[in-house]
Amino acid sequence: MKKSFRFLFSGLAALLCLAVLAGPAPAGSAEGFGTVRESGVWWLTLPGGPRFFSMGVNTVNGGDKKTRDRGYYFENFYPDQAAWAADTQKRLYAWGFNTRGGWSDPTKAMTLPMVPEIDLGRNARLHWFDPFAPDALELTIAKARELTAPYRDNPAVIGYFTDNEVGWWNAPLFKWYLGNEWASYAKRHVWRMVYDHYQGKWDKLLADFVPAVGYNSFEDLQKGGAELKLRPGGRGIALINKVTAACAGRYYELVFKALRAVDPGRLVMGARLPLYYNQDAVLASRGFLDVLSTNYNVDTPDGWVAPYYFDGLAKLTDTPVLISEFFFAANENRSGNVNNGHLMHVATQAERATGASAAVRHFAAFPNVAAVHWFQYYDEPTGGRGDGEDFNMGLVDIHNAPYETLLAAMAPANREAPAIHAASPARTTPPQPAVVPIHRAAAPVSLTDGALADWPDKAGTRLPWLRIPAPHVPFGDVHMSWSQDGLNLFHLAQNYADLFLLAYEGEFPISETYQLQIEVDAGAGLRRFAACLLPQPHRKYPGRFELVPRLFRIEDDGRLTRIDETGLVQVLDKPLPHIALEMRLPAKELGLAKLSPGQGLSLRISATTFYREMTMTLGAPAQGRGKKDADKPFAAILADK
């Protein structure tokens, strides 16, 4: 099936040569950039119609004069901007890149296509002010006209990122708008949603929420300062997600209509989601985006990209995806960057090159990913940029010298990306077999190394049949292997949670934790286990939480019996919304002395997010139309490979 959008404007004929990166053009033509889906694969299209896979770089600009003594600045290396532009574009083409990403110089001395980030929502005061005000669209159009003025006559502009890292963090939006004064239209909108959700019955609200002192009725909630906290055991998170969807939908509607009004020939390319997506917000964006953009923090140092993330977006939205940032940094670098945070970094430039090039190939293999943009052109200044971030993210160092090892690996991957992408329909999930083979561990699995390096065959160990009620999609992946001493699992997922939103005292309630539950019968009777992730203030990152694992045996009567987690469970050091859990279920806990090849198992696996917001399950395959068997266990066998 082919689905295409065309946007008209003139010029840019010189860029047609880029079409060779992606093979023959689709049928039809147009005079502007667009998108097309052919045989299930999404592409961007150049003026005139040829398709292309966008390999971009962020911050293709001359740097900051204020940090020229400790950072990259073009006048340190070039006589003028024209010389900088010519050399930089020549380099990028040689390295297999074909697009300028966010925060790049719009100079017409370069012919590379580009996507400006214009902060439309922030400048139009849509996020934390009053997007439901009657004049919100009028104000957004006026601001869009102002912000697009520098770009409207530039034929290299593909479209616009409307903002950067709009996360749709559900609880902060709910708390902010509910706490506003009644004069705010957003406050009234949220209050009406609360009232309607509970049909005006205060006792129903109290089953889900604990109101602030002095707020004892729906009328009280109309006052400024109103606050509702989740009640443990309640289902208030469902209402919060409805409010999030309403706010996100209003944002996407306003920025889409505004950009169509002032620059209808350009693509609306989203708000660069921040390494995470809220499913209800993505669903609310349908019909208001031409391209969905998301940043991505690669999951492991070997460049593995968890398939659930992009497979999920393919189901939630009917647009191509542009990866607006990905990156790899190394402690071994020439700019003195210390890599002071949780973003992907490794020890050496050789490891950086291996991981980054592998990630490009993984990204290109998703049919819905039509663009991959690297962050960024040059390293951050020695000592860090203005907000303190200090990472070796550059293709070149602060002295303008390319990282040759990195680029020697990335350039071939960049050039191969279009062919990999064209072949991506072959990457399909097979039906769940009647008996699922569990692979033998390729290496001893360490539960104390803080890494997943002992899982070299991540594709082979993945169990890709997790299910969740529509319209939502699985929010993570589960991998499993075995060795004589037990079953090994690792779990990558995403779950944002405002951990101050819950009304509780003492330790965080187990019922509200993120949980991975495993039921297994290895021939010695059914055993049930739960790995629960308790949040605590993070030791390294102020204002964030870290997750501390607790491992339990679930008794027949539902009681939880604590199992010593030492050497059995580890949570990788990634702050929320990232979940990275590795664990082992020892053979003795399964009632056996050891596991053996050919041994049959009965298994059921489920994961539940904080506050029981969503649960995804891997159970028996469905038998017949409409029949749901996820609550039944599935059969597995320990494969001798």
Side-chain angles (χ1 to χ4, degrees), residues 457-502:
D457 184 14
K458 294 180 179 64
T461 57
R462 179 173 174 250
L463 303 176
W465 305 287
L466 288 157
R467 299 192 286 278
I468 191 170
H472 297 114
V473 297
F475 49 84
D477 280 332
V478 173
H479 298 245
M480 181 177 282
S481 70
W482 72 276
S483 49
Q484 282 192 350
D485 55 353
L487 292 174
N488 311 304
L489 297 94
F490 83 81
H491 176 46
L492 298 175
Q494 57 173 342
N495 181 204
Y496 171 75
D498 183 337
L499 300 172
F500 295 111
L501 184 63
L502 188 68

Side-chain angles (χ1 to χ4, degrees), residues 72 77 334-335 377-379 394-403:
Y72 178 92
F77 319 111
R334 299 188 297 262
S335 299
Y377 181 62
Y378 45 78
D379 278 343
L395 302 175
V396 303
D397 62 22
I398 60 173
H399 313 292
N400 199 34
Y403 283 103

Side-chain angles (χ1 to χ4, degrees), residues 427-439:
R427 183 196 160 279
T428 58
T429 300
Q432 182 177 341
V435 180
V436 175
I438 306 298
H439 291 212

Side-chain angles (χ1 to χ4, degrees), residues 310-576:
F310 295 101
D311 288 349
L313 286 174
K315 296 173 182 175
L316 292 170
T317 185
D318 192 30
T319 66
V321 172
L322 182 153
I323 298 169
S324 38
E325 289 183 18
F326 91 102
F327 36 79
F328 258 84
N331 294 334
E332 174 195 20
N333 65 79
R334 299 188 297 262
S335 299
N337 301 122
V338 298
N339 303 321
N340 56 345
H342 70 282
L343 303 177
M344 176 53 67
H345 59 279
V346 292
T348 68
Q349 288 294 324
E351 292 173 279
R352 185 186 186 210
T354 298
S357 57
V360 168
R361 293 182 172 95
H362 285 309
F363 288 138
F366 292 100
N368 58 324
V369 173
V372 179
H373 290 191
W374 172 267
F375 188 88
Q376 57 181 6
Y377 181 62
Y378 45 78
D379 278 343
E380 293 176 336
T382 305
R385 64 186 193 184
D387 63 358
E389 184 177 282
D390 185 5
F391 272 83
N392 158 234
M393 291 175 168
L395 302 175
V396 303
D397 62 22
I398 60 173
H399 313 292
N400 199 34
Y403 283 103
E404 299 291 356
T405 301
L406 171 70
L407 292 163
M410 284 194 76
N414 291 349
R415 295 190 185 98
E416 293 167 20
I420 294 170
H421 192 57
S424 61
R427 183 196 160 279
T428 58
T429 300
Q432 182 177 341
V435 180
V436 175
I438 306 298
H439 291 212
R440 186 194 289 267
V445 175
S446 170
L447 277 300
T448 59
D449 60 357
L452 297 172
D454 37 23
W455 293 79
D457 184 14
K458 294 180 179 64
T461 57
R462 179 173 174 250
L463 303 176
W465 305 287
L466 288 157
R467 299 192 286 278
I468 191 170
H472 297 114
V473 297
F475 49 84
D477 280 332
V478 173
H479 298 245
M480 181 177 282
S481 70
W482 72 276
S483 49
Q484 282 192 350
D485 55 353
L487 292 174
N488 311 304
L489 297 94
F490 83 81
H491 176 46
L492 298 175
Q494 57 173 342
N495 181 204
Y496 171 75
D498 183 337
L499 300 172
F500 295 111
L501 184 63
L502 188 68
Y504 72 98
E505 295 180 358
E507 189 172 68
F508 195 88
I510 291 294
S511 65
E512 309 304 307
T513 59
Y514 189 102
Q515 298 189 21
L516 181 67
Q517 294 196 13
I518 303 100
E519 300 177 9
V520 55
D521 186 342
L526 180 66
R527 305 291 201 277
R528 296 190 296 158
F529 305 91
C532 303
L533 305 185
L534 274 71
Q536 295 182 357
H538 206 289
R539 292 166 294 177
K540 291 171 58 178
Y541 308 124
R544 294 180 179 267
F545 290 88
E546 61 182 342
L547 301 177
V548 178
R550 296 284 186 268
L551 183 60
F552 297 96
R553 184 185 308 110
I554 305 174
E555 307 295 353
D556 291 342
D557 60 3
R559 288 181 300 109
L560 300 179
T561 300
R562 179 84 175 269
I563 300 173
D564 182 6
E565 301 89 7
T566 306
L568 296 182
V569 185
Q570 67 170 342
V571 177
L572 275 61
D573 189 13
K574 292 188 174 188
L576 288 174

Side-chain angles (χ1 to χ4, degrees), residues 6 19 44 81 83 119 142 174 216 239 256 278 295 388 491 511 534 541-543 571-572:
R6 302 290 188 223
L44 299 183
Q81 187 189 47
D119 280 340
F174 178 76
N216 301 310
L239 170 61
F256 181 83
N278 178 289
N295 299 347
H491 176 46
S511 65
L534 274 71
Y541 308 124
V571 177
L572 275 61

Side-chain angles (χ1 to χ4, degrees), residues 62-65 67-80 84 398-400:
D64 187 350
K65 190 172 185 177
T67 57
R68 67 181 301 171
D69 60 333
R70 60 185 182 90
Y72 178 92
Y73 187 60
F74 80 101
E75 287 185 353
N76 293 344
F77 319 111
Y78 299 97
D80 52 39
W84 167 83
I398 60 173
H399 313 292
N400 199 34

Side-chain angles (χ1 to χ4, degrees), residues 128 165-174 240 244 274-278 495-498 576-577:
W128 301 106
E165 296 188 344
V166 177
W168 302 116
W169 315 112
N170 50 11
L173 286 169
F174 178 76
I240 291 175
T244 302
L275 320 177
Y276 151 86
Y277 56 84
N278 178 289
N495 181 204
Y496 171 75
D498 183 337
L576 288 174

